[in-house]
Amino acid sequence: MSRQKLGQHFLVKTSILDRIAKAACPELPAGSEKQKEPLVVEIGPGKGALTARLLDRAERVIAIEIDSAMLEHLAGKFSGNSRLTLVHADALDLNLGQWGRAVITGNLPYYAATPIIEKTLQLGNQLMYAMFLIQKEVAERLTAAPGSREYGYLTVRTRLSADADRLFDVHPSAFRPPPKVDSTLIRLRPHDRARELGIDDAAAFLEFAGLCFHQKRKTLRNNLVGAYGKESVDGLPEASRRAEQLTLEQFAELYRKLCA
Ligand code: SAM
């Protein structure tokens, strides 16, 4: 893959790098002993600008980079630092929980942000929380309210496994070369909402949610009748609504009615 395709937009604005590192590894509240974050996994360290700041605030950093030229640079820059482990790999091929329960962070390559978020959401207990810099438009989809234009499958998928918050936006001028779009720092805090909602099989529920959003502008009836039949679907009070109008809780209720 070319450099451009690997999403190599390097953060150069030091105040933004500091803010991200601080958000990923906040100090403990006043009164408690100052303590470093035990384990941070960074995806896409690039030239190591964020990595250096994470090393100041974490006991151990695992940095996963796909580009061998970047790895060579990192190996030189951080040579002798035993608290950093460099991993030469495609983050999409790895189990991100293999080093133990961790904070996962990174200024993500835009092309891989959604699948990396999906992998992160699947970590469950192995994830302390995630702090990702991603395209603003994707951040808006992750955190959208029902009924809004941005609300869709990605929102419901995220909400099933985590609370997603937008922390701050980053202007393209903070990067070299600058990307064409704005970015947003998001935080994902995992929870077990599936259990709270009585969903035993999260994968089956997500497949159902995907079907509900199959043709976003169509009614739930139109999206579901093929799979569940006219008789089951027509009697539902939600049948004439569109998926984008339903909250996660309402999806769970509909799933129970049709699939339980
Ligand atoms: N963290 C650096 C910074 O903030 O300046 C670089 C961020 S740059 C947006 C994304 C980085 O992710 C690049 O170094 C790129 O080579 C790396 N990358 C791209 N795809 C990757 C993948 N699938 N797995 C691991 N690293 C990847």
Side-chain angles (χ1 to χ4, degrees):
M1 232 191 269
S2 69
R3 288 273 152 78
Q4 205 181 359
K5 288 217 172 106
L6 286 175
Q8 293 185 344
H9 297 280
F10 301 104
L11 257 176
V12 291
K13 192 161 181 181
T14 54
S15 58
I16 299 289
L17 284 158
D18 289 343
R19 281 178 80 185
I20 297 174
K22 203 166 179 181
C25 308
E27 284 162 17
L28 292 180
S32 51
E33 232 178 82
K34 229 178 172 187
Q35 205 175 302
K36 287 180 168 177
E37 210 60 68
L39 177 63
V40 175
V41 174
E42 185 190 7
I43 299 174
K47 296 178 184 171
L50 181 60
T51 320
R53 288 164 171 82
L54 294 173
L55 280 165
D56 287 342
R57 310 178 73 94
E59 291 295 342
R60 190 171 168 223
V61 176
I62 312 286
I64 306 162
E65 173 60 58
I66 199 169
D67 183 340
S68 45
M70 291 299 146
L71 270 156
E72 218 172 286
H73 173 86
L74 291 164
K77 180 170 179 167
F78 296 108
S79 103
N81 191 328
S82 59
R83 292 185 298 110
L84 173 66
T85 304
L86 296 172
V87 179
H88 186 195
D90 181 338
L92 293 172
D93 293 338
L94 296 182
N95 168 7
L96 299 174
Q98 67 183 275
W99 299 278
R101 190 169 143 79
V103 173
I104 304 196
T105 190
N107 166 19
L108 298 186
Y110 291 151
Y111 83 93
T114 310
I116 289 171
I117 288 169
E118 173 61 38
K119 274 186 87 82
T120 304
L121 291 173
Q122 286 172 12
L123 287 174
N125 274 344
Q126 290 298 86
L127 175 67
M128 267 177 82
Y129 53 88
M131 197 67 68
F132 290 139
L133 190 63
I134 58 173
Q135 191 173 339
K136 184 177 179 184
E137 187 220 307
V138 178
E140 285 170 349
R141 284 165 50 208
L142 292 176
T143 55
S148 66
R149 196 166 52 87
E150 294 79 14
Y151 188 77
Y153 173 79
L154 189 60
T155 325
V156 172
R157 195 279 159 266
T158 304
R159 209 153 283 172
L160 184 69
S161 305
D163 285 326
D165 304 297
R166 284 190 274 158
L167 300 196
F168 57 85
D169 294 340
V170 181
H171 190 264
S173 61
F175 302 83
R176 292 282 178 283
K180 290 198 175 71
V181 294
D182 283 340
S183 302
T184 298
L185 188 73
I186 55 143
R187 178 177 55 199
L188 301 172
R189 285 178 294 183
H191 54 57
D192 197 354
R193 186 108 336 127
R195 195 176 47 80
E196 286 165 29
L197 292 170
I199 298 166
D200 295 331
D201 185 344
F205 171 74
L206 289 172
E207 201 176 312
F208 171 77
L211 189 62
C212 292
F213 279 106
H214 180 61
Q215 298 209 57
K216 214 179 157 191
R217 305 304 303 166
K218 294 211 166 168
T219 60
L220 286 163
R221 182 191 184 283
N222 281 337
N223 281 331
L224 296 175
V225 79
Y228 297 98
K230 234 164 134 352
E231 266 176 36
S232 314
V233 175
D234 278 348
L236 297 169
E238 302 90 340
S240 60
R241 302 181 75 189
R242 291 198 301 265
E244 65 192 18
Q245 297 170 301
L246 264 52
T247 62
L248 173 65
E249 290 70 17
Q250 289 168 326
F251 275 112
E253 202 182 317
L254 189 58
Y255 174 72
R256 278 195 299 270
K257 283 186 204 164
L258 283 172
C259 308

